[in-house]
Amino acid sequence: MEEDKEEVKSFKDLGVCDQLIEACDNLGWKHPSKIQAEAIPHALEGKDLIGLAQTGSGKTGAFALPILQALLETPQAFFACVLSPTRELAIQIAEQFEALGSGIGVKCAVLVGGVDNVQQSIALGKRPHIVVATPGRLLDHLSNTKGFSLRTLKFLVLDEADRLLNEDFEKAIDELLSVIPRERNTYLYSATMTKKVRKLQRACLRNPVKIEAASKYSTVDSLKQQYLFVPAKHKNCYLVYILSEKSGSTSMVFTRTCDSTGLLAQMLRNLGLRAIPISGHMTQAKRLGALNKFKAGECNILVCTDVASRGLDIPSVDMVINYDIPSNSKDYIHRVGRTARAGRSGVAISIVSQYELEWYIQIEKLIGKKLPMFPAQEEEVLLLLERVTEAKRIADMKIKEAGGKKKRRGGEDDEVEGIERYSHGKSSKKSKKR
C-alpha cells in the first residue's frame, strides 16, 4: 500500500534538523503525514509550493518546519508571515509555531480582529520572528503601527487560500502583495483548488511545486456519511434524537446563522444536553472560552457556524451533524473534515429538509457517491416532539429576555446560564469580516 510507504519515512529522511526533530517528538509527531512527507523536501530546497490537502492532514507542520529550519540558519525579526481567514486558525497556527520553536526561542505575534490593537502593537515592538494574521488586521498595523513593516520578509504563507480569496479578503490580499518583498518564498495551502487560487498562484509564486495529498474533493475513507430526509418542522426532533442515540459522542452541530447557534444550544441545554455555541457574533474571548470548554470535555456538543469548519484544532470529534445543509457544497467537505482525522473513524449525518434537497444533491455530486440513510423510525422520533417543542419555546423566551437586557445595558454582552446571547437582526455577513 502506498500509504504505508509514506509512513516509513522519518523527519530525518526529509532533511529536518535534529533540534526540530526533537520538537516534533515532544509534540508526539512520530512520522510525517503525507503532505509533510511530500512538501518538506521541496520547501527545504527553497521552492515555492502549492499544497492541496484535506483539513486535518498536518498542513501547519508542512510549512512551519521548513520556515523554522531556515530561521535557524539566518535568524532575523519579521522572517515569515502567515495569513489565515479566521482568528481561531491564526491563534492555532501561532501556537504550533511556538510549540515547534520552543527549544530555539521563536517569538510569534498574532494580529487578529476582536483583540486590543495596542497589545498587538506592543508584541510587534518586540520584533517577533513570525507574524500570524488575518488580512484586515495586518493591513491596519502596516498602516498605523509605527516602525512596523514587512520589508525584510523571507516567507509568506497563505493558509486556507481559497477562503482568503473571497470578496471579504481579496482586496486586502492584493494590497499586502504590493507592499512585501517580491524576493521571498511563498507557500499556498488550500483544501480545494478553485479558479481564484489558480489566479493567485500566477500572481505570487515562482515556478511552484504542486503537491496534492488528496483527490480533488474528497472525504476520508474512515468517515461514515449518512443523511436523513425530514420535514423542516421536525428538524429539531431529529437532531435531539440523533444526539440522544449517540449520547457518548463528542459532536459538532453546524447551522447556517449565528443566531441559530445560540438558540439551538439553549434548546439542547434545556433538554439536559451539554451544548455550547460558537459563532462570529461572539467576542474573541468568548469564542476561545467556548472552544476550550469543548476541548476540555466540559461540553460535548459544539453548535457552530462555518467559522468552526476549517482549521480549528479539535482532535477528538466523533460526529458532525449538518443541521442546516450548506448552500456551497465545498463547505460540506470542510465541515465533515472535523471528524475522522488522523486515521480515526468518525460519523457525519446530514439532516435534509424539503427546502435543502437541491443543495444536498449538489453535495452527493461533488463527493461522487450516494450516501445511505441514517436509520430512524419517525414514530420513535416524534415521541420527543412535546419535550423538544417546550425546550425550544423556553429557549426563544430566554433569548428574547437576554436581547432586551442587552439593549437596556447599552449593548454589553449578556449571559444566561453560561450561554452567550446575540441580539437578533445582526447580519451574519458583517460578523464574518476579519
Side-chain angles (χ1 to χ4, degrees):
M1 246 172 85
E2 201 184 343
E3 200 63 35
D4 293 339
K5 271 188 244 165
E6 294 295 355
E7 281 298 304
V8 174
K9 279 197 172 153
S10 68
F11 285 104
K12 196 161 190 63
D13 296 336
L14 303 182
V16 176
C17 68
D18 290 344
Q19 281 161 293
L20 292 174
I21 290 171
E22 198 180 317
C24 291
D25 214 40
N26 293 338
L27 288 179
W29 299 1
K30 300 297 175 215
H31 299 285
S33 69
K34 191 169 191 293
I35 189 76
Q36 289 165 356
E38 294 190 21
I40 289 171
H42 292 298
L44 291 176
E45 283 172 17
K47 297 201 167 86
D48 283 1
L49 296 181
I50 297 169
L52 297 182
Q54 292 161 328
T55 177
S57 59
K59 290 187 291 193
T60 309
F63 60 74
L65 287 167
I67 288 172
L68 291 172
Q69 190 144 319
L71 178 66
L72 268 172
E73 286 161 22
T74 52
Q76 67 158 68
F78 304 118
F79 188 72
C81 175
V82 184
L83 292 177
S84 141
T86 67
R87 305 162 183 186
E88 286 81 6
L89 179 55
I91 290 163
Q92 193 184 297
I93 291 167
E95 282 170 357
Q96 200 138 83
F97 264 102
E98 279 166 354
L100 285 168
S102 59
I104 55 176
V106 169
K107 285 189 297 194
C108 286
V110 181
L111 311 180
V112 294
V115 179
D116 180 39
N117 239 335
V118 178
Q119 289 303 109
Q120 293 175 358
S121 300
I122 292 167
L124 289 173
K126 293 178 180 165
R127 301 180 58 72
H129 304 104
I130 316 286
V131 174
V132 188
T134 47
R137 185 53 71 97
L138 179 61
L139 269 182
D140 194 353
H141 281 288
L142 283 168
S143 312
N144 302 317
T145 300
K146 217 169 157 26
F148 169 52
S149 90
L150 292 175
R151 279 194 296 272
T152 59
L153 194 75
K154 296 289 182 278
F155 286 85
L156 174 70
V157 182
L158 288 99
D159 196 12
E160 303 288 8
D162 48 348
R163 261 187 84 188
L164 284 171
L165 293 171
N166 67 20
E167 59 275 16
D168 288 346
F169 300 117
E170 198 167 3
K171 193 168 169 289
I173 298 286
D174 288 343
E175 277 183 55
L176 288 167
L177 289 174
S178 68
V179 297
I180 57 176
R182 294 183 85 85
E183 285 301 308
R184 59 164 199 269
N185 279 108
T186 308
Y187 303 151
L188 203 67
Y189 276 88
S190 179
T192 50
M193 184 68 163
T194 59
K195 287 191 182 78
K196 287 184 168 176
V197 174
R198 275 197 201 95
K199 184 177 122 189
L200 185 66
Q201 167 195 338
R202 288 199 300 274
C204 70
L205 282 82
R206 297 166 304 180
N207 303 325
V209 178
K210 187 173 164 191
I211 289 147
E212 205 157 345
S215 59
K216 194 175 179 209
Y217 299 116
S218 68
T219 49
V220 292
D221 297 335
S222 55
L223 173 67
K224 182 182 179 186
Q225 300 173 81
Q226 297 169 303
Y227 80 98
L228 269 167
F229 188 49
V230 311
K233 63 181 178 184
H234 291 150
K235 245 191 189 191
N236 289 340
C237 261
Y238 278 89
L239 172 66
V240 173
Y241 179 79
I242 295 166
L243 289 169
S244 308
E245 283 291 289
K246 297 185 173 287
S247 58
S249 301
T250 311
S251 308
M252 290 177 81
V253 177
F254 281 97
T255 72
R256 190 165 298 117
T257 67
C258 293
D259 287 334
S260 60
T261 57
L263 182 62
L264 269 188
Q266 179 65 65
M267 180 192 83
L268 294 171
R269 283 169 83 106
N270 293 345
L271 291 162
L273 295 161
R274 291 177 300 130
I276 195 161
I278 185 170
S279 79
H281 282 177
M282 289 160 71
T283 62
Q284 184 63 19
K286 286 194 174 169
R287 276 155 78 168
L288 286 175
L291 205 51
N292 288 336
K293 274 187 179 168
F294 183 64
K295 280 186 185 177
E298 286 175 51
C299 298
N300 68 328
I301 301 163
L302 187 67
V303 187
C304 47
T305 53
D306 282 307
V307 79
S309 67
R310 300 191 182 209
L312 293 194
D313 186 22
I314 307 167
S316 54
V317 176
D318 307 311
M319 175 166 66
V320 165
I321 299 175
N322 289 302
Y323 174 84
D324 289 320
I325 301 302
S327 53
N328 179 346
S329 35
K330 284 176 206 158
D331 287 335
Y332 174 85
I333 306 276
H334 293 293
R335 287 180 180 189
V336 302
R338 305 313 313 155
T339 184
R341 294 165 82 79
R344 280 189 293 268
S345 59
V347 180
I349 301 166
S350 297
I351 305 174
V352 189
S353 77
Q354 64 271 38
Y355 309 114
E356 299 169 305
L357 191 55
E358 210 171 299
W359 293 335
Y360 178 72
I361 291 164
Q362 287 307 317
I363 288 166
E364 286 198 328
K365 258 191 204 152
L366 183 78
I367 60 176
K369 51 178 134 183
K370 286 245 172 280
L371 300 183
M373 273 182 78
F374 177 83
Q377 294 299 317
E378 191 180 23
E379 313 83 77
E380 213 178 309
V381 176
L382 294 185
L383 292 174
L384 296 164
L385 187 58
E386 203 174 314
R387 282 180 60 219
V388 170
T389 306
E390 179 61 6
K392 164 84 163 51
R393 187 186 68 75
I394 295 167
D396 276 327
M397 199 169 69
K398 283 184 175 171
I399 282 182
K400 272 203 184 85
E401 274 172 25
K405 274 188 200 169
K406 194 168 168 181
K407 272 180 192 152
R408 286 197 298 278
R409 288 166 47 174
E412 289 168 34
D413 268 341
D414 194 29
E415 239 177 68
V416 180
E417 291 185 12
I419 290 280
E420 288 75 11
R421 306 281 176 251
Y422 331 101
S423 58
H424 285 261
K426 284 189 191 177
S427 101
S428 46
K429 197 151 194 186
K430 197 163 118 194
S431 73
K432 282 179 194 161
K433 294 227 170 185
R434 263 194 212 171

